[in-house]
């Protein structure tokens, strides 16, 4: 049975829309854990567009499960990771203008720099995962530089329009997962997964953890909206 890491960045996105204190990702993390999630994932972006340093520090203190920090392999954020010491860091590429992480890391093309970052994180006792596209060369490079896990970017699969394309992407994900498992790395997957497209991935038993954000937070709004409206109506009715 695969584990579930819930990405709560979009709780912070909603908070930032008004620049206030609500909704608080820390309160959300408590509920996510109570509901049975196996870990919390946050992306501390260089532009701090959603998750803030304060969130990271508080999460590290209060989480009962596991904190997976997604981050770009850049000096400023690496320093923060070494200070906060999450259970795991997932290194991702980051571009300012993107809405979300659009592709995997080019590990094969950046081996030396990434090896240096992995070594620093390992010295602090932090496990390291590399977010890569389904590509065997990237798996080999990830293994060679000492990654503990890969996270397979599922974007190409979830965006595939035709069944044929989807099948090809699934096959590539499966091959990637199998090779990583064979060489002893843990295999995670994520990006754009929802309540429908996850189903075809479940038979790939090498994938031990799914990291899912947008679809879960979106569904939370939908399943919670009626109650929220009812509570306000009740208040008005009492007045
Ligand atoms: N895993 C990684 C490495 C990501 O960058 C993201 C997006 O922040 C996710 C998982 C979650 O993606 P989504 O929000 O589309 O479920």
């Amino acid at each position: 049975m695969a584990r579930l890491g819930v990405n709560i960045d979009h709780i912070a996105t909603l908070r930032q829309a008004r620049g206030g204190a609500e909704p608080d990702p820390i309160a959300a993390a408590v509920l996510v854990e109570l509901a049975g999630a196996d870990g919390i994932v946050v992306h501390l972006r260089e532009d701090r567009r959603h998750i803030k340093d304060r969130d990271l520090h508080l999460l590290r203190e209060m989480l009962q499960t596991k904190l997976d920090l997604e981050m770009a392999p850049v000096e400023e954020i690496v320093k923060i990771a070494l200070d906060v010491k999450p259970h795991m860091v997932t290194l991702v590429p980051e571009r300012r203008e993107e809405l979300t992480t659009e592709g995997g890391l080019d590990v094969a093309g950046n081996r030396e720099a990434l090896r240096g970052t992995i070594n620093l994180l390992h010295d602090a006792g932090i496990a390291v995962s590399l977010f890569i596209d389904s590509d065997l060369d990237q798996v080999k490079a990830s293994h060679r530089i000492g990654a503990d896990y890969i996270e397979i970017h599922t974007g190409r699969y979830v965006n595939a329009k035709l069944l044929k394309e989807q099948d090809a992407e699934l096959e590539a994900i499966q091959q990637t997962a199998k090779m990583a498992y064979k060489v002893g790395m843990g295999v995670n997957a994520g990006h754009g997964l929802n309540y429908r497209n996850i189903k075809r991935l479940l038979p790939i038993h090498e994938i031990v953890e799914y990291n899912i954000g947008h679809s879960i937070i979106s569904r939370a709004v939908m399943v919670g909206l009626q109650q929220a409206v009812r509570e306000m109506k009740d208040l008005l009715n009492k007045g």
Side-chain angles (χ1 to χ4, degrees):
M1 203 177 49
R3 295 190 298 265
L4 174 64
V6 178
N7 180 314
I8 57 170
D9 291 350
H10 292 313
I11 301 289
T13 302
L14 204 51
R15 175 187 61 188
Q16 296 316 117
R18 283 292 171 94
E22 285 184 334
D24 193 328
I26 311 306
V30 172
L31 297 177
V32 167
E33 283 194 331
L34 283 173
D38 302 288
I40 302 290
V41 185
V42 291
H43 186 169
L44 185 70
R45 297 186 77 103
E46 286 182 87
D47 62 10
R48 307 298 199 277
R49 68 171 74 154
H50 39 51
I51 293 292
K52 308 288 178 197
D53 300 56
R54 162 264 186 203
D55 303 327
L56 189 64
H57 283 94
L58 288 174
L59 286 170
R60 181 65 184 95
E61 254 183 65
M62 50 68 61
L63 286 188
Q64 306 282 325
T65 57
K66 187 184 90 166
L67 176 61
D68 177 359
L69 169 61
E70 279 180 29
M71 52 176 264
V74 296
E75 196 179 332
E76 182 213 349
I77 311 286
V78 170
K79 266 196 200 141
I80 293 170
L82 295 175
D83 176 38
V84 172
K85 293 190 174 57
H87 301 91
M88 181 154 97
V89 156
T90 299
L91 295 176
V92 303
E94 196 174 298
R95 286 191 293 127
R96 289 274 157 130
E97 64 277 17
E98 69 189 359
L99 289 177
T100 179
T101 315
E102 282 168 2
L105 275 174
D106 179 12
V107 182
N110 292 286
R111 266 198 246 166
E112 288 323 308
L114 286 169
R115 193 199 301 269
T117 303
I118 291 174
N119 288 344
L120 283 173
L121 294 165
H122 276 171
D123 288 347
I126 304 167
V128 182
S129 178
L130 302 180
F131 193 40
I132 59 170
D133 292 322
S134 35
D135 178 319
L136 300 185
D137 288 336
Q138 299 295 350
V139 176
K140 285 181 212 157
S142 301
H143 179 54
R144 237 174 260 141
I145 64 172
D148 307 288
Y149 290 80
I150 56 158
E151 178 171 336
I152 301 173
H153 193 304
T154 48
R156 287 204 311 245
Y157 159 66
V158 307
N159 291 324
K161 297 271 182 294
L162 303 173
L163 191 61
K164 212 168 83 178
E165 262 180 86
Q166 212 184 70
D167 290 346
E169 293 303 336
L170 267 180
E171 176 64 21
I173 290 172
Q174 184 157 29
Q175 295 308 320
T176 303
K178 276 190 189 309
M179 174 182 273
Y181 179 82
K182 209 165 109 187
V183 297
M185 288 189 292
V187 185
N188 301 335
H191 194 90
L193 297 176
N194 63 31
Y195 296 79
R196 292 176 298 279
N197 61 29
I198 187 108
K199 290 180 187 150
R200 293 195 73 196
L201 288 170
L202 297 181
I204 306 177
H205 295 296
E206 287 82 3
I207 299 176
V208 293
E209 183 168 307
Y210 290 95
N211 291 324
I212 305 178
H214 189 264
S215 67
I216 292 179
I217 304 306
S218 303
R219 190 169 179 87
V221 171
M222 287 302 168
V223 299
L225 193 53
Q226 281 177 298
Q227 183 178 337
V229 172
R230 257 184 245 123
E231 287 175 10
M232 188 57 80
K233 276 296 282 184
D234 285 349
L235 270 178
L236 298 184
N237 289 342
K238 277 182 200 140

